[in-house]
Amino acid sequence: MSLAKEFSKGIWKENPVLVLLLGMCPTLGVTSSATNGLGMGVATLFVLMCSNMVISLMRNIVPKKIRIPVYIVVIATFVTIVDMLMQAYAPATLYNALGLFIPLIVVNCIVLGRAEAFASKNGIVKSLADGLGMGLGFTLALVALGGTREFLAGGTLFQIKMIPAWTTDFMLPTSAAGAFIILGLFLAAKNAQAIRKAKREGKAYTPPGLDCRSCNICDMDK
Amino acid sequence: MSEQESTPSIRLPDPARLVVSNSPHMRSGENISRIMFTVVAAMLPACAVGIWFFGLAAVWVLLACTVSCVVFEEGWNKLNKRPSTWKDGSAIITGILLGMNLNAGTPWWVCVIGAFLAIILAKQLFGGLGYNPFNPALVARVGLLIGLPELMTTWNPTHAMVSTLGAADAVSAATPLAMAPGKVEVLQMLIGNTKGCLGETSAIALLIGGAVLLIFKLIKWQVPVAFIGSVAVITGIMHAIDPTTYHSPVVHILSGGLLLGAFFMATDMVTSPMTRKGAIIFGLGCGIMTSVIRLWGSYPEGVSFSILFMNALTPLIDRMTVQKPFGYVAPEKGKVA
Amino acid sequence: MSAQKINIPMLGVFLGVVAAAAAGLLAGVQGLTAERIEANKKAAISLAMNQVLPAYDNEPMTETNTFACARGWKVTFYTARKDGQIVGYAGKVDNTDDGFSGTVSLIVGLDADGSVASIASNGMTNSAVIVTAQTETPGLGTAIAERKLQKTITDLFGGSEEIPGLVGNKYLDWYAGKKAGEERWAIVKDGEKVNGKTGATITSTAVCEAVYAVSKTAVEHLDELSKGAE
């Protein structure tokens, strides 16, 4: 695949949230507003690019037996760096809102998933493109989700009232239940689009492979 | 299907047009819309009492909910090019039930949001009537309660309350469950002269409706009996232990949406278990959850949450309580091995 | 894989090297950011301090007293002086345990007699109560605790200026001038002046209890407070 394709697949075709369904914890947990979604997305993007880069550099010297611990150490390091940087330089309100979820980027499946499935097999430039694309896809999905939830709740976007006449807040979309409902609607829309596209091209719709082909954590199929 | 199977030697009828279920085959005059309109008739007494006590405001809420439910149902059918379904009456029932679960002074746009949650989110997205795992009216009620807690927990006083208490006191009067134990007037709750949702206040009217449903065998008696019975037992025990903090079981049964929920919503054919044993388990679960939420939860009322929770368990209950076929003899343990 | 000989000590050394490198990197970043993080934390406290205290010329952050209140929470008092005279205290209580979905932390400006201070800002009388941390239900519990100005899209393009000072919150401003006596404060939900909100009783009570505890502790320990910090 070309570099541009590696980059763009994460944004739409293999979007980590809407297609691969990875990283659901931050997706559902922090997207009560567009700002929170953006903050979480950018933090994950940073970690993803750094970890992809380092793991791609190390891919030939890491012994296979201990690659998972090594990846976790690398990811955890970058997450801690992000945590400290945000505490020092990000607005206090953003850090307070995301505080609990920043350390949880360590266990975000997207980061370890890309390290294992992509960066450990590809060169540094490709890995960077993959990390950037996946991170951007994640960020866009989170901002869209957060923006939708925020807007449906009170007509605000990025904490700015878009419709001044909207005075009664409707709290369902910003509640935890609302997160699941809106995410479900997003997934339905994405699937409907993919099915329609496949139909137009005269192909049968197959969901993107989430099976052993795209994963090499175990040696099942080898 | 493989190639061979698709060309059978015997010509079978088109399976899309003909559905043959297993025997026994029974004929009856029942069909969905007849059932549905009997249910509507059973709800009328409670609605009428609500309109009597809360006035025109109640009519508007009921109308707004019913009309918007039908509009959403038909709109969805049009959008998806499906045959019209509003005549089967299920959308109308959902609309009336939703209206009965709202305060008489609810603004029209809240009714429309509720109808959207009920018809589109809870019913049509799951595939329409018969496929919805949760009772649509309850999904809407809980969605609105979470979404607009302030609007959903302020109640219009009845006309009778305004004339006896004065306007200001009537507005600030508490719902029976939020009052201090011992101060509740049971007689007023029987006829429906208390604060609350417009369809849940009158115990007598709800009991009449419930009786109609039972006589026409539209609901299983096990669900309301187990539901109300378990609430009575649990709140009775707590009342016996400490009558100053816990209401008497009579108050618990007559207040809030318990009767409405037990007769009209927990018994929904689509979302409650099919077997008799399952119905008892379902009712008990609802009753226990309701009592726990009412006595120790942070919400004063738990009927809607408990029914939704048990709705989610319904497929499991059904699987657990499969009836054994008539004449089936379980193999003896020793022989099988 | 099986043909390859696994050298377990080698694996350990490799992992150790990676971990050491990570630790070194982290130490470096921490060295770079520690100062700023500390400064941010201080700035957050002193910003709240400036908002709840009248004009002072000492350093309240250095003049502190801590007492335990009846509920077992620790209340820290910062003493504000002008020309050597005590002009007020800022009482801070962190992580009270009664919020709806977590703890509530707040900072309360007190007059020299222990009553909750009133602050005139933007033509309104506000109470010197700021909730510094809470995790209440957005739009419901937060309505009681937050002093937040809602920006609208017209402000964004109209370019209206930022107004300094406290943003009014009718639930918090109820406490202005209140002084804790023996009786706990009641939750008032109806009428012009309210400190409670229907549907958010628990948050209302949590804030009320915390403000009461600060004022009550100050009244009880007024003698020690007026002597200044040890």
Side-chain angles (χ1 to χ4, degrees):
Chain A
M1 263 201 277
S2 73
L3 208 57
K5 258 191 176 161
E6 295 294 359
F7 167 72
S8 63
K9 71 175 188 297
I11 293 176
W12 184 250
K13 221 178 115 208
E14 285 181 35
N15 186 295
V17 173
L18 299 177
V19 180
L20 304 180
L21 292 184
L22 290 175
M24 286 293 111
C25 165
T27 302
L28 294 164
V30 302
T31 55
S32 57
S33 74
T35 320
N36 287 0
L38 184 65
M40 188 71 198
V42 171
T44 312
L45 170 70
F46 176 79
V47 172
L48 195 52
M49 283 188 65
C50 294
S51 71
N52 259 14
M53 182 179 75
V54 172
I55 287 164
S56 168
L57 279 177
M58 288 166 52
R59 71 184 187 281
N60 292 327
I61 53 166
V62 178
K64 207 173 178 195
K65 277 268 158 184
I66 55 161
R67 66 190 196 286
I68 299 287
V70 169
Y71 295 166
I72 292 286
V73 169
V74 170
I75 294 164
T77 310
F78 286 114
V79 171
T80 316
I81 290 175
V82 166
D83 192 36
M84 290 195 282
L85 287 177
M86 281 190 78
Q87 218 173 337
Y89 298 105
T93 48
L94 183 66
Y95 183 75
N96 288 340
L98 298 177
L100 181 66
F101 292 93
I102 295 291
L104 287 180
I105 300 177
V106 177
V107 288
N108 190 329
C109 317
I110 299 169
V111 184
L112 187 62
R114 292 330 286 177
E116 178 65 27
F118 197 89
S120 61
K121 297 172 190 163
N122 290 286
I124 177 162
V125 181
K126 268 192 171 180
S127 296
L128 269 176
D130 176 77
L132 186 65
M134 284 286 164
L136 272 180
F138 186 66
T139 311
L140 287 176
L142 256 59
V143 171
L145 199 57
T148 311
R149 288 176 66 188
E150 195 187 342
F151 186 77
L152 289 180
T156 63
L157 264 183
F158 292 98
Q159 265 91 45
I160 293 164
K161 205 77 165 175
M162 291 293 151
I163 305 168
W166 192 330
T167 48
T168 316
D169 281 0
F170 182 56
M171 253 87 72
L172 181 63
T174 43
S175 70
F180 282 94
I181 294 171
I182 309 269
L183 178 67
L185 296 178
F186 267 56
L187 296 180
K190 178 75 185 75
N191 276 350
Q193 182 268 340
I195 291 169
R196 186 167 291 181
K197 191 176 167 224
K199 220 180 221 171
R200 232 191 357 251
E201 290 166 0
K203 283 185 279 190
Y205 171 67
T206 43
L210 286 177
D211 50 25
C212 291
R213 280 171 302 171
S214 58
C215 164
N216 61 357
I217 290 185
C218 65
D219 296 325
M220 282 269 284
D221 58 339
K222 279 154 203 147
Chain B
M1 262 198 237
S2 69
E3 281 297 307
Q4 282 175 323
E5 277 172 317
S6 61
T7 53
S9 49
I10 304 167
R11 201 181 145 82
L12 290 169
D14 179 7
R17 288 170 137 198
L18 182 69
V19 179
V20 181
S21 64
N22 290 332
S23 62
H25 303 285
M26 276 189 282
R27 282 162 178 273
S28 87
E30 270 186 3
N31 55 45
I32 292 180
S33 46
R34 187 148 155 199
I35 294 173
M36 292 295 181
F37 282 109
T38 318
V39 176
V40 172
M43 292 191 292
L44 280 181
C47 290
V49 174
I51 293 168
W52 172 262
F53 279 115
F54 296 107
L56 264 184
V59 179
W60 290 126
V61 171
L62 286 169
L63 260 181
C65 289
T66 314
V67 169
S68 41
C69 274
V70 172
V71 167
F72 276 123
E73 173 114 348
E74 279 313 285
W76 179 268
N77 286 335
K78 279 264 147 58
L79 205 69
N80 289 283
K81 301 183 184 79
R82 288 185 190 180
S84 151
T85 49
W86 77 273
K87 279 183 189 148
D88 68 17
S90 70
I92 297 174
I93 288 186
T94 304
I96 297 177
L97 265 181
L98 175 62
M100 288 169 81
N101 270 304
L102 295 176
N103 168 37
T106 309
W108 63 270
W109 54 271
V110 176
C111 299
V112 174
I113 295 176
F116 175 83
L117 292 176
I119 298 295
I120 306 294
L121 200 68
K123 193 167 120 188
Q124 298 296 3
L125 280 182
F126 285 97
L129 182 64
Y131 298 96
N132 48 314
F134 299 103
N135 185 318
L138 277 179
V139 171
R141 184 202 149 105
V142 168
L144 289 176
L145 183 67
I146 295 172
L148 301 158
E150 226 175 331
L151 258 170
M152 290 292 289
T153 47
T154 44
W155 313 106
N156 271 20
T158 63
H159 291 322
M161 286 169 78
V162 173
S163 58
T164 51
L165 294 172
D169 282 351
V171 168
S172 61
T175 52
L177 275 180
M179 282 183 201
K183 283 193 175 174
V184 183
E185 295 171 56
V186 172
L187 182 69
Q188 300 295 332
M189 288 169 63
L190 269 176
I191 59 171
N193 186 18
T194 55
K195 286 184 140 185
C197 301
L198 69 92
E200 70 179 21
T201 52
S202 168
I204 291 178
L206 287 168
L207 285 173
I208 294 172
V212 170
L213 293 179
L214 283 172
I215 289 165
F216 283 92
K217 294 217 170 86
L218 292 178
I219 60 173
K220 292 184 192 71
W221 61 268
Q222 286 92 343
V223 176
V225 167
F227 193 163
I228 298 169
S230 52
V231 170
V233 169
I234 297 172
T235 57
I237 292 170
M238 292 318 292
H239 182 69
I241 293 172
D242 185 1
T244 54
T245 44
Y246 298 111
H247 287 285
S248 77
V250 180
V251 174
H252 271 289
I253 291 171
L254 297 183
S255 68
L258 180 58
L259 290 173
L260 178 65
F263 282 110
F264 290 95
M265 294 189 292
T267 52
D268 178 8
M269 285 177 221
V270 178
T271 57
S272 63
M274 287 182 281
T275 60
R276 262 167 264 148
K277 220 196 285 169
I280 292 176
I281 298 174
F282 184 85
L284 282 177
C286 288
I288 293 167
M289 289 270 299
T290 302
S291 315
V292 167
I293 294 175
R294 279 190 180 181
L295 295 174
W296 300 291
S298 58
Y299 280 95
E301 175 60 303
V303 170
S304 28
F305 291 109
S306 64
I307 298 177
L308 282 183
F309 186 81
M310 294 309 288
N311 281 166
L313 294 185
T314 295
L316 256 160
I317 296 174
D318 268 336
R319 184 179 287 190
M320 241 168 58
T321 58
V322 179
Q323 277 168 324
K324 65 182 183 197
F326 184 67
Y328 176 78
V329 180
E332 280 175 48
K333 272 185 187 169
K335 278 185 184 171
V336 177
Chain C
M1 188 78 219
S2 53
Q4 199 180 324
K5 189 102 171 123
I6 299 158
N7 189 343
I8 289 176
M10 250 327 277
L11 296 183
V13 170
F14 188 88
L15 205 52
V17 170
V18 171
L25 190 60
L26 283 182
V29 176
Q30 197 192 7
L32 283 175
T33 54
E35 217 168 286
R36 227 192 124 99
I37 291 173
E38 206 47 45
N40 278 354
K41 281 185 184 161
K42 274 231 175 81
I45 299 176
S46 71
L47 182 73
M49 206 75 76
N50 286 336
Q51 284 179 321
V52 298
L53 284 175
Y56 55 86
D57 56 10
N58 67 329
E59 285 205 13
M61 296 295 288
T62 57
E63 205 172 325
T64 63
N65 283 296
T66 303
F67 304 106
C69 76
R71 292 285 301 271
W73 307 323
K74 285 224 161 50
V75 187
T76 307
F77 292 97
Y78 303 87
T79 312
R81 293 168 185 277
K82 184 148 197 182
D83 306 324
Q85 289 290 310
I86 292 175
V87 290
Y89 308 99
K92 185 162 85 75
V93 59
D94 280 339
N95 304 330
T96 75
D97 41 19
D98 350 271
F100 182 68
S101 56
T103 62
V104 173
S105 304
L106 45 73
I107 189 160
V108 181
L110 300 168
D111 287 335
D113 67 343
S115 55
V116 178
S118 319
I119 293 171
S121 93
N122 313 324
M124 303 212 302
T125 310
N126 295 325
S127 72
V129 179
I130 293 178
V131 177
T132 48
Q134 45 88 16
T135 52
E136 302 304 296
T137 319
L140 194 59
T142 52
I144 287 159
E146 276 185 343
R147 293 183 179 278
K148 196 164 144 195
L149 205 59
Q150 179 67 61
K151 280 190 203 139
T152 65
I153 191 146
T154 43
D155 295 342
L156 200 66
F157 295 114
S160 69
E161 65 218 70
E162 295 259 325
I163 312 159
L166 281 182
V167 180
N169 176 319
K170 65 172 177 177
Y171 304 105
L172 290 179
D173 292 339
W174 183 86
Y175 300 100
K178 292 270 190 306
K179 186 176 174 181
E182 286 308 309
E183 285 278 305
R184 288 228 159 98
W185 295 330
I187 298 289
V188 186
K189 282 185 190 167
D190 289 301
E192 278 284 291
K193 297 209 151 202
V194 293
N195 68 341
K197 185 175 178 178
T198 309
T201 312
I202 294 174
T203 311
S204 312
T205 315
V207 171
C208 184
E209 286 281 298
V211 178
Y212 176 82
V214 171
S215 178
K216 177 87 177 148
T217 318
V219 171
E220 277 170 4
H221 297 275
L222 215 50
D223 290 344
E224 293 141 86
L225 276 174
S226 58
K227 273 183 223 146
E230 59 271 20

